[in-house]
Amino acid sequence: MNTDQKIEKVKEIFKNYEKVALAFSGGADSTLLAYLAKEAGADVLAITYNNQIFPTGFLEFAKRRTSELGIRHEIIENNFIDVDIVTNTPQRCLVCRRLMYGAIKQRAFDEGYEIIIDGNNITDLTHDRPGILMKYEYEIESPFIEAELETYEIHQFLDENDIEYSNSTTCLATRVKTNEIVTIDKVNRIDHCEAYVKEITGSDVVKLREEKNVATIELSDLDTILDKEKIDSIVEELKLSQYDKILLNLKAIESDDELILDDELEKGANNLRLRKRLPFGIDISETGKILKNKENDHISNIETIEDIGYIKLQIDEKESKIFRDGKISIENNKNKEDAKESLVKILPFIRRTV
């Protein structure tokens, strides 16, 4: 399917929903979901969860965009500084999503909305985001995953249709190194410094990573900061904010990454072999059960080998394996696009470990 066909599939999905509640942040994914739901004529309730540690302007933007889209909007207020997430363990995203999805689901049901959707897309399934497990636990639907939409396609559609969305919707707790305590002072400092760097540089996306009082700046456009006067100004401001050292990440932030990289394809005699490694472990037992319980014309001959740690199966009649350590192999691909089409058939069924 091309992008337009996938977009049409999302609209068709909405036609099956009389009333639908949407987890809404104002970012690219949730904004496009809201836009398409409105176009499809669905009765939509956008619910924004405010945990008090999102960037400045996050809530105001969400209010404005839902108003402009003509969609009913409700806000759930919570303060994550008062809950376990401040300990900042590797499970922080699970804690966050459990609280978020639980509250959104309850509010939706209270308002008479029995279907809850979120903006997770196919690309998200290849990233290290343990919180996605809560999507399955709370039975949150993801139309973009069902339609096989990728991040770059969503951004492309939004840009081509002049649909405004926010680039600043990620929780600021994710900027603090895992296992370092998150405090309101740290959150406020990060928020202030990110806003300052964004104002000085004009870069669309700015993130400041904090570890042991060292600030590492990341930008979507490095050219915007490569000026001595700007650098001096930023260093001075961040020093005033009590950072001991200020670093610049020379790798630009990329949001439109490809599902398959060229070096993940190996040339065979007459075909290509995909060798992809996901950045997390895979629960072989659970994944095997889900694959066997789901009806899918593309997947067959599923066999879970627990003692060795992999699942053997056929995807589009191609010999394939899913390994406990996150590796996926798919044989006999004609080209890169053919390999991707097979990969997206299994990604929604994979359950990660934490």
Side-chain angles (χ1 to χ4, degrees):
M1 288 190 292
N2 61 34
T3 302
D4 289 340
Q5 290 172 322
K6 294 177 184 180
I7 292 293
E8 287 304 314
K9 184 171 182 178
V10 174
K11 291 180 181 179
E12 287 299 316
I13 292 170
F14 278 123
K15 289 178 182 177
N16 296 325
Y17 299 149
E18 190 171 326
K19 300 179 70 173
V20 60
L22 161 65
F24 186 81
S25 67
D29 298 328
S30 62
T31 296
L32 182 54
L33 269 183
Y35 176 86
L36 295 176
K38 183 70 175 178
E39 276 208 333
D43 176 356
V44 185
L45 170 63
I47 303 175
T48 299
Y49 191 86
N50 181 26
N51 62 14
Q52 311 297 326
I53 47 177
F54 281 107
T56 296
F58 155 79
L59 198 58
E60 290 69 22
F61 184 87
K63 290 177 182 177
R64 175 169 67 80
R65 286 304 283 133
T66 49
S67 175
E68 292 168 346
L69 291 167
I71 291 174
R72 184 181 168 201
H73 185 217
E74 293 202 6
I75 299 163
I76 298 175
E77 299 281 359
N78 198 353
N79 190 342
F80 279 9
I81 295 298
D82 295 333
V83 297
D84 288 343
I85 197 169
V86 298
T87 58
N88 204 22
T89 69
Q91 283 75 41
R92 66 184 176 192
C93 291
L94 284 176
V95 176
C96 169
R97 291 288 171 170
R98 182 175 286 116
L99 290 167
M100 180 187 298
Y101 281 142
I104 288 175
K105 190 166 188 175
Q106 186 60 56
R107 177 66 63 88
F109 281 10
D110 290 346
E111 297 291 336
Y113 292 78
E114 296 186 355
I115 301 296
I116 301 98
I117 61 174
D118 70 10
N120 279 303
N121 63 62
I122 281 290
T123 308
D124 294 328
L125 300 180
T126 65
H127 292 166
D128 188 9
R129 295 174 181 171
I132 203 166
L133 289 173
M134 294 300 100
K135 161 188 144 49
Y136 306 117
E137 181 173 320
Y138 286 94
E139 299 179 317
I140 308 298
E141 302 290 337
S142 301
F144 289 161
I145 291 178
E146 188 174 342
E148 300 178 0
L149 270 163
E150 299 176 53
T151 296
Y152 86 89
E153 294 176 302
I154 291 167
H155 288 176
Q156 184 180 51
F157 186 89
L158 289 164
D159 294 340
E160 288 177 352
N161 290 276
D162 295 320
I163 302 170
E164 185 186 6
Y165 62 94
S166 173
N167 283 314
S168 301
T169 60
T170 54
C171 172
L172 294 174
T174 62
R175 311 288 202 266
V176 181
K177 181 70 173 178
T178 303
N179 294 322
E180 289 190 14
I181 298 296
V182 177
T183 67
I184 191 62
D185 287 340
K186 286 183 180 180
V187 169
N188 288 340
R189 176 167 70 167
I190 292 167
D191 189 28
H192 166 75
C193 292
E194 284 189 355
Y196 184 83
V197 174
K198 190 169 186 177
E199 180 183 356
I200 291 293
T201 63
S203 182
D204 287 340
V205 184
V206 173
K207 294 181 179 180
L208 187 147
R209 307 289 183 186
E210 178 174 311
E211 180 180 5
K212 295 180 179 177
N213 220 40
V214 174
T216 301
I217 300 169
E218 299 176 355
L219 304 98
S220 56
D221 186 355
L222 288 170
D223 289 341
T224 62
I225 199 173
L226 300 180
D227 173 271
K228 186 178 185 305
E229 187 175 334
K230 289 181 181 179
I231 291 173
D232 289 345
S233 179
I234 290 168
V235 169
E236 181 180 358
E237 184 65 28
L238 268 61
K239 284 289 188 181
L240 287 173
S241 297
Q242 305 302 307
Y243 281 113
D244 296 330
K245 187 181 292 186
I246 297 98
L247 308 177
L248 174 64
N249 189 334
L250 294 179
K251 187 179 187 304
I253 297 171
E254 297 176 352
S255 59
D256 292 349
D257 46 331
E258 294 186 83
L259 275 181
I260 295 176
L261 302 176
D262 290 340
D263 61 8
E264 293 174 328
L265 292 166
E266 299 175 356
K267 287 186 178 180
N270 299 304
N271 53 57
L272 292 173
R273 295 186 292 268
L274 174 64
R275 299 287 186 269
K276 185 171 186 67
R277 184 161 194 158
L278 301 175
F280 47 79
I282 294 174
D283 186 331
I284 293 300
S285 176
E286 186 66 18
T287 299
K289 290 176 185 176
I290 291 169
L291 284 166
K292 288 178 180 178
N293 291 334
K294 296 285 186 180
E295 291 186 12
N296 192 306
D297 294 336
H298 300 273
I299 301 173
S300 61
N301 299 334
I302 303 157
E303 182 182 358
T304 302
I305 298 90
E306 286 275 3
D307 54 340
I308 301 177
Y310 72 92
I311 300 169
K312 185 167 63 174
L313 69 162
Q314 286 191 322
I315 308 168
D316 298 321
E317 300 184 350
K318 304 171 187 175
E319 295 296 330
S320 308
K321 290 180 181 178
I322 303 170
F323 294 87
R324 182 177 288 136
D325 64 1
K327 289 193 295 243
I328 298 173
S329 68
I330 303 175
E331 307 290 334
N332 300 319
N333 302 285
K334 298 173 185 175
N335 49 44
K336 187 175 182 179
E337 191 61 31
D338 183 39
K340 185 166 73 171
E341 287 177 5
S342 295
L343 177 65
V344 300
K345 297 298 188 299
I346 57 166
L347 285 174
F349 304 115
I350 289 175
R351 296 296 179 268
R352 59 165 293 155
T353 56
V354 179

